[in-house]
Amino acid sequence: MENHNYSVLEMNGSEAAFQRVDKDRGKNAKQFTWVLLLKALRAVGSIAWLGNGLWTLLGVIKNRLIFGQGVTMENEKSNKGRFLFRIILAFLVMALTFLAVEVVAHLKGWHYFQNHNLHIPQTSEIQGWFNMIYFGWLKIRADYIAPPIQFLSIACVALFTIQSADRMLQCLGCYWIKFKKIKPRIEGDPFKSDDLEGSRCNYPMVLVQIPMCNEREVYEQSISAVCQLDWPKDRILIQVLDDSDDENIQWLIKGEVSKWSQKGVNIIYRHRFIRTGYKAGNLKSAMNCDYVKDYEFVAIFDADFQPNPDFLKQTVPHFKNTPELGLVQARWAFVNKDENLLTRLQNVNMCFHFEVEQQVNGVYLNFFGFNGTAGVWRIKALEESGGWLERTTVEDMDIAVRAHLNGWKFIFLDDVKVLCELPASYEAYRKQQHRWHSGPMQLFRLCLPAIITSKIAFWKKANLILLFFLLRKLILPFYSFTLFCIILPLTMFVPEAELPAWVICYVPVVMSFMSILPAPRYFPFIVPYLLFENTMSVTKFNAMISGLFQLGSSYEWVVTKKAGRSSEPDLLAAEERESKAMNHAQLHRGVSDSGLSELNKLKEHQEAAPKPPVKKMNKIFKKELALAFLLLTAAVRSLLSAQGVHFYFLLFQGISFLLVGLDLIGEQMS
């Protein structure tokens, strides 16, 4: 061979030469050393990652709490909010005091916290004034403090068990629906007619309403999606119900409405000069128009909702031949569900709400709470139930309860989805949850007499009072906040009133597991989900108390901040639909000149309008921070008493409260 770097060797018995070699023979001490070094390197890398994260968190705490860089303090408008903060602060001071006493006792060798069968020394055994004070505290703790804490903990555990059983039954009902493939179905083709000239008459008259208020970021995509609904143009009317108090936003929305009107869409713009009653007042004002009597159904979409073109064809046919049907509710789908950790955790909650709660109640009870949007109402059902009322901040749940008391039935369509947006910042999500949990308590007080005196079946009354309101709206935030944020830290300093490990660990994990089942791809987030739900309990408890006792913040309506997010497939589909609409649109010549001139004026006004500067700030949430320090103090006390499960739960729950209190979850607010 010309290349001398190779040599040729003749071998006999090629089969023996290329036999499979046992891998175990090839291992030697050097290979084992490399494997151990690689594993050690991974372990060091993990420790370094954790240390870097802890160092970053400490730096954020220093910058935000000590120096106040780029943050604003949470503004407590209600006396009740300030009162709850003072209560949590008092618990924190007590916990720090108790911890100091226990540390001193531990250093002196009094290891009583490791033994719950405490020995109270006699007078002859007492030496020194500190000993006397400490042993006096032990007696007071055992005789007077522990019993009420133990009683409250037992009550919360009982409520916790009842709520867990309710959730388990709902999950079983959902899986039975999946197994039997139970869902509302449309019989035949409801729009088919032998008479071609009269085929359009099979399409009922539908009114579509888009209530909005200062929705600069999302008004355009919402109006665009609704204007492309596949329905005969002469059988549909779109109302854009604008409650904006910003004149620039009003001009922008008028311009968008004018643009679609030029394409032949039957759309009108309405603005109220007297803006009372928030969304309920807006819808009530629109339903009072004279032309509404010509329409049979009304579909409602909030400003960030983008229905598919076939939405009405998938929902309205269910009303045919079912005169007792009052509402058809579709499911929400989210364009930004994977934007950050906060939106992922919200998506877990919403998947459980729609796929389990709404679907199970719709199939077995023909009743559920209206979600306020992405639904179609029979106008007759609205009118007979009293119409929209402005007495609470949950007008959607209000009308649903009154319609149920009047005998109307609801159905939920899990396979009909409408795109919308989740709050991407903790502040926006917190305000939304406050409204969603204070309103039901207002409504419960107002509706309780009507429920008791109504003519519906007794089991329906029991379902409304015991399950719909008390268990799922009142008891859930109460026990979650009381058990995990107050009682659990106190039991670390009062060991006579202890919580068993199954309450702290196993049941919450099982509950979180059931909640996350409708969204199985989010299983890696089961631990953050559990911690975050307990963290949100302070906001939900705060809202529940506000609504129950008619405090000022319960009547506060804050529009949820939206950013106008759209996923890439949604943008491409919307662009394709809009291009088709542009190609097939027929402009009405009678109004085109004036309409186009008005549109040009609106565009000029839009370009001339100054754009406000955008400045993003983090907020410091005082109640969450106070609870964080309370839980971390209790974690230190638990570490002294060597309670493993309790320590880890308190530690991670305290860190969760700390991250939320420093506004480190979700995006910043502008």
Side-chain angles (χ1 to χ4, degrees), residues 77-139:
K77 295 184 178 180
S78 67
N79 292 328
K80 198 238 24 117
R82 290 191 291 269
F83 181 67
L84 180 60
F85 171 67
R86 293 191 187 105
I87 291 177
I88 297 173
L89 205 59
F91 277 117
L92 175 60
V93 172
M94 285 194 304
L96 290 172
T97 305
F98 296 160
L99 179 62
V101 172
E102 296 292 349
V103 169
V104 173
H106 179 74
L107 294 176
K108 286 182 174 291
W110 304 334
H111 304 295
Y112 292 110
F113 43 75
Q114 293 182 359
N115 182 11
H116 298 162
N117 299 320
L118 298 177
H119 167 63
I120 306 299
Q122 302 299 320
T123 306
S124 59
E125 300 178 73
I126 298 177
Q127 298 178 356
W129 62 271
F130 186 83
N131 305 57
M132 183 173 60
I133 294 174
Y134 181 68
F135 294 136
W137 153 245
L138 292 181
K139 185 172 179 61

Side-chain angles (χ1 to χ4, degrees), residues 115-409:
N115 182 11
H116 298 162
N117 299 320
L118 298 177
H119 167 63
I120 306 299
Q122 302 299 320
T123 306
S124 59
E125 300 178 73
I126 298 177
Q127 298 178 356
W129 62 271
F130 186 83
N131 305 57
M132 183 173 60
I133 294 174
Y134 181 68
F135 294 136
W137 153 245
L138 292 181
K139 185 172 179 61
I140 294 173
R141 188 179 76 183
D143 294 342
Y144 300 103
I145 299 178
I149 294 179
Q150 187 68 51
F151 174 78
L152 189 59
S153 64
I154 293 173
C156 287
V157 169
L159 296 176
F160 191 17
T161 307
I162 294 172
Q163 203 269 337
S164 303
D166 173 65
R167 180 157 295 194
M168 185 172 293
L169 287 175
Q170 286 184 316
C171 289
L172 291 175
C174 178
Y175 292 126
W176 183 255
I177 291 171
K178 297 285 186 184
F179 178 72
K180 290 293 186 178
K181 298 181 180 180
I182 303 172
K183 69 175 184 178
R185 303 182 188 277
I186 302 172
E187 299 296 336
D189 187 356
F191 305 115
K192 186 177 180 180
S193 175
D194 297 332
D195 184 7
L196 296 178
E197 294 182 357
S199 60
R200 298 173 70 87
C201 297
N202 288 332
Y203 289 84
M205 298 288 286
V206 177
L207 181 68
V208 182
Q209 296 177 333
I210 314 176
M212 58 179 63
C213 180
N214 296 324
E215 307 280 4
R216 180 189 293 270
E217 293 81 10
V218 294
Y219 75 92
E220 189 173 1
Q221 63 190 31
S222 176
I223 294 175
S224 173
V226 171
C227 287
Q228 297 175 55
L229 288 172
D230 186 9
W231 203 257
K233 301 300 182 184
D234 58 337
R235 313 292 293 178
I236 186 174
L237 173 64
I238 300 170
Q239 287 180 318
V240 178
L241 311 177
D242 183 24
D243 256 6
S244 304
D245 55 6
D246 188 331
E247 187 177 352
N248 291 328
I249 298 178
Q250 294 176 24
W251 280 97
L252 293 174
I253 298 174
K254 286 180 182 178
E256 186 69 16
V257 171
S258 179
K259 181 184 77 173
W260 285 101
S261 179
Q262 291 301 310
K263 298 176 183 178
V265 177
N266 193 11
I267 183 172
I268 60 174
Y269 173 87
R270 294 189 82 255
H271 181 267
R272 294 192 300 162
F273 293 101
I274 302 177
R275 300 170 58 250
T276 58
Y278 302 113
K279 181 181 176 182
N282 198 1
L283 294 171
K284 181 179 180 180
S285 173
M287 294 300 293
N288 288 332
C289 296
D290 293 335
Y291 53 79
V292 172
K293 65 180 183 295
D294 298 327
Y295 293 84
E296 188 176 357
F297 304 104
V298 56
I300 303 172
F301 300 101
D302 282 352
D304 59 317
F305 279 71
Q306 307 166 50
N308 289 326
D310 61 348
F311 175 83
L312 293 179
K313 289 188 174 180
Q314 290 184 306
T315 54
V316 175
H318 288 278
F319 290 97
K320 190 174 182 180
N321 300 324
T322 52
E324 71 280 1
L325 183 61
L327 168 67
V328 175
Q329 172 72 60
R331 181 174 176 169
W332 299 359
F334 307 103
V335 297
N336 63 333
K337 59 186 178 182
D338 294 319
E339 182 176 345
N340 54 43
L341 179 60
L342 177 62
T343 57
R344 288 185 173 95
L345 300 180
Q346 289 180 70
N347 186 56
V348 172
N349 259 340
M350 299 306 289
C351 285
F352 181 85
H353 170 68
F354 284 109
E355 192 163 339
V356 179
E357 293 179 340
Q358 298 291 77
Q359 185 171 217
V360 168
N361 290 329
V363 169
Y364 295 107
L365 303 176
N366 292 122
F367 166 73
F368 46 81
F370 175 46
N371 294 114
T373 177
V376 182
W377 276 94
R378 190 188 297 271
I379 294 180
K380 183 181 178 182
L382 289 177
E383 294 173 346
E384 291 186 356
S385 303
W388 299 105
L389 297 182
E390 308 163 15
R391 55 183 182 172
T392 69
T393 56
V394 284
E395 75 294 326
D396 45 8
M397 186 182 294
D398 189 357
I399 187 63
V401 170
R402 286 184 283 118
H404 180 57
L405 295 179
N406 277 275
W408 292 98
K409 294 183 178 180

